[in-house]
Structures are given as structure tokens and as C-alpha cells.
Amino acid sequence: MGYDGLKKLEPMKEDNQLLVITHLSQLITLVIGFGSLIVPLILWLTQKDKVYQMDAHGKNIVNFQLSLIVYCIICVPLILFFGLGLLGFAVLGIVGVIFPIVNAIKASRGEAPSYPLSFNFIS
């Protein structure tokens, strides 16, 4: 009869489409030049308590994007060593496009994402 002030817990919904969009949102950098960390971070933070598996996928994406930033910083001084940094930037660019697509496909199938060489910043 009375309202006790507690919010009713809503069950988490399964939304593979949103997980796919979250993975593909990393590619926004190809269109506007930035946002590969910002957009997935916002999606993860706003949906992690509402969508089943969003927390795990979001953490993997953020860890991957932060790892790419660290690797890019490492590549800058490597440019002086026979241009190895330029090769590193090329490899990172390819990896930064391929793995979000692969993991978006995995997410659509309900599989767990896997981003290689990612540091575990957020666990």
C-alpha cells in the first residue's frame, strides 16, 4: 500500500544489437577523426547496469582503446629508429579497424569479445 522508497530492480535485458553498436562505435574515428574511446565509454557507462554482458564488453573495449593509445605513444619515439614507429602506426591502424569488426560479429552471435595485446586497465 505504501511506497517504501526503494526502486524496483529491473531484470537486465539481452541486447546483442547494442553490443554490436558499441563495438562498431570504435570506428567513428574513421569518420570524424576522434571518438573511438569516448563513444563506447559513454555507451558502456550508461548501459552496463541495463544490458546483459554490456559490462564485460565495455571493459574490453575501453581496455583495448586505452592500450592503442599507449602503443601509439610508444610508436612516436620509435620513428627515429629506422622508421619503426611508422610501421607500428600502420599495424595499429589495421588492428584498430579489424578487431572491432571481428568482435562486433562475435557479439552478434552472443560470444565473448577478445582483444589481443590489451592491457587490463579496468577489471
Side-chain angles (χ1 to χ4, degrees), residues 75-76 78-92:
C75 284
V76 171
L78 289 178
I79 292 174
L80 299 175
F81 296 107
F82 307 110
L84 290 176
L86 297 175
L87 179 64
F89 282 129
V91 169
L92 290 175

Side-chain angles (χ1 to χ4, degrees), residues 10-30:
E10 296 179 22
M12 295 180 100
K13 63 180 179 176
E14 189 167 335
D15 190 354
N16 286 351
Q17 287 181 339
L18 185 59
L19 295 175
V20 169
I21 290 169
T22 306
H23 284 284
L24 293 178
S25 68
Q26 299 173 78
L27 302 177
I28 197 164
T29 300
L30 300 174

Side-chain angles (χ1 to χ4, degrees), residues 26-27 29 36-37 61-75 88-89 91-100 115-119 121:
Q26 299 173 78
L27 302 177
T29 300
S36 62
L37 175 63
I61 292 169
V62 171
N63 284 332
F64 177 65
Q65 287 299 317
L66 290 174
S67 297
L68 285 179
I69 291 169
V70 169
Y71 289 132
C72 283
I73 292 169
I74 291 171
C75 284
F89 282 129
V91 169
L92 290 175
I94 293 168
V95 167
V97 170
I98 291 175
F99 282 104
Y115 288 99
L117 302 174
S118 288
F119 298 118
F121 294 105

